[in-house]
Amino acid sequence: MLSMRTALPPVYRSELQCRMLGMAIESYTSDGKPTAPGQSGELVCTKPFPCQPLGFWPLPGYGSDDEVKAAQERYRQSYFDEFPDIWYHGDHVLITESRQGNGGGVIMLGRSDGVLNPGGIRFGSSEIYNVLDAAFSSSSAHHIVDSLVVGQAIQGGVDERVVLFVKLADGRVLDDGLRKAVKTEILQVSDIPYTLNAKKVEVPIKKILNGVSVDAVNVTTLRNPECLAEYIKIGEVLRKEIS
């Protein structure tokens, strides 16, 4: 845990109240520089911390030399490959200005591998979901029951476009009015994929959209894997549009 809730500092909406004692966490730009307060970036920890794992299993003395060496390399690639000697947590965050002595609250914006980056403008999928929840609730003419937003590589991987999948209320059909309101590639689907612990499946769908085989997706972790077939077909169509 890198940040925490506590009874001491004030509570601000959407923020974790403060950074945890013993956790030297910061927000970094993609080139490894600290971001200014209020600007989003990559969640890092610049110093060793109390609950930092020693490595991946097997640790030295509990496996063969080759097994231990492979585990150490996986550990390095997982947490220290992005920024040398800096713990990279894989989350996109925003650290706010310090208010009433809290040192800056932390707003979680989503996993970094699920961050959207059209035209070099980075933002988390949660920012899209928040707008949809506010603008297209059950009282809206375009009632969006659920949604999923991912990025699709374009221009040979140099850039990406945002693709929004929506599940509408029974009997509703996606029309041009909603497309113009959202102003992105928006497609109606019959279902949104979730993991067994109720998390939206963004990264695997992003991979499928960009041509990765569905065999790379661990379907045993999904609550509704049958819906992937629809995304495979959509991916084929979308890739033809940009080829």
Side-chain angles (χ1 to χ4, degrees):
M1 178 181 282
L2 302 183
S3 52
M4 63 182 293
R5 294 180 297 173
T6 170
L8 299 179
V11 177
Y12 296 101
R13 184 177 181 179
S14 302
E15 291 185 24
L16 296 169
Q17 291 162 273
C18 65
R19 287 170 271 194
M20 199 170 185
L21 292 174
M23 309 299 294
I25 73 168
E26 299 291 346
S27 170
Y28 271 18
T29 62
S30 57
D31 56 356
K33 297 178 181 178
T35 62
Q39 294 184 352
S40 62
E42 304 298 331
L43 178 62
V44 300
C45 198
T46 60
K47 297 179 181 179
F49 50 93
C51 57
Q52 180 176 327
L54 297 176
F56 289 160
W57 193 263
L59 296 174
Y62 293 92
S64 68
D65 289 344
D66 288 343
E67 290 172 333
V68 170
K69 186 176 180 180
Q72 290 174 335
E73 179 60 18
R74 290 199 310 272
Y75 180 64
R76 185 194 67 78
Q77 291 179 352
S78 297
Y79 297 111
F80 296 97
D81 201 37
E82 189 76 14
F83 307 112
D85 299 322
I86 299 292
W87 177 280
Y88 168 72
H89 204 63
D91 286 311
H92 199 56
V93 301
L94 184 152
I95 299 177
T96 64
E97 294 273 2
S98 179
R99 290 181 286 184
Q100 298 190 38
N102 70 348
V106 179
I107 299 176
M108 307 299 295
L109 300 175
R111 292 293 297 170
S112 297
D113 47 14
V115 166
L116 303 163
N117 191 29
I121 302 173
R122 293 168 61 84
F123 55 91
S125 56
S126 62
E127 297 178 65
I128 298 292
Y129 299 140
N130 289 340
V131 172
L132 293 176
D133 288 342
F136 301 101
S137 62
S138 58
S139 60
S140 169
H142 306 288
H143 180 200
I144 295 178
V145 175
D146 206 350
S147 60
L148 183 76
V149 61
V150 297
Q152 182 192 15
I154 58 175
Q155 299 177 11
V158 176
D159 199 357
E160 73 174 17
R161 64 176 177 178
V162 176
V163 181
L164 174 64
F165 299 100
V166 295
K167 178 181 179 181
L168 301 183
D170 291 342
R172 305 286 178 91
V173 178
L174 188 64
D175 60 28
D176 290 339
L178 183 55
R179 293 179 192 275
K180 292 176 181 178
V182 177
K183 297 185 184 299
T184 188
E185 186 71 34
I186 177 171
L187 300 163
Q188 184 174 355
V189 291
S190 59
D191 204 2
I192 301 295
Y194 277 86
T195 63
L196 295 174
N197 57 353
K199 292 183 178 179
K200 292 185 181 185
V201 181
E202 293 179 352
V203 175
I205 295 300
K206 180 177 181 178
K207 291 180 178 178
I208 290 173
L209 238 60
N210 287 292
V212 176
S213 171
V214 72
D215 295 335
V217 178
N218 185 0
V219 296
T220 62
T221 65
L222 303 185
R223 187 178 69 190
N224 50 346
E226 67 281 354
C227 73
L228 294 183
E230 184 175 12
Y231 291 88
I232 294 172
K233 293 179 181 179
I234 291 173
E236 292 172 352
V237 174
L238 292 180
R239 288 194 299 277
K240 287 180 180 178
E241 290 180 0
I242 61 174
S243 62

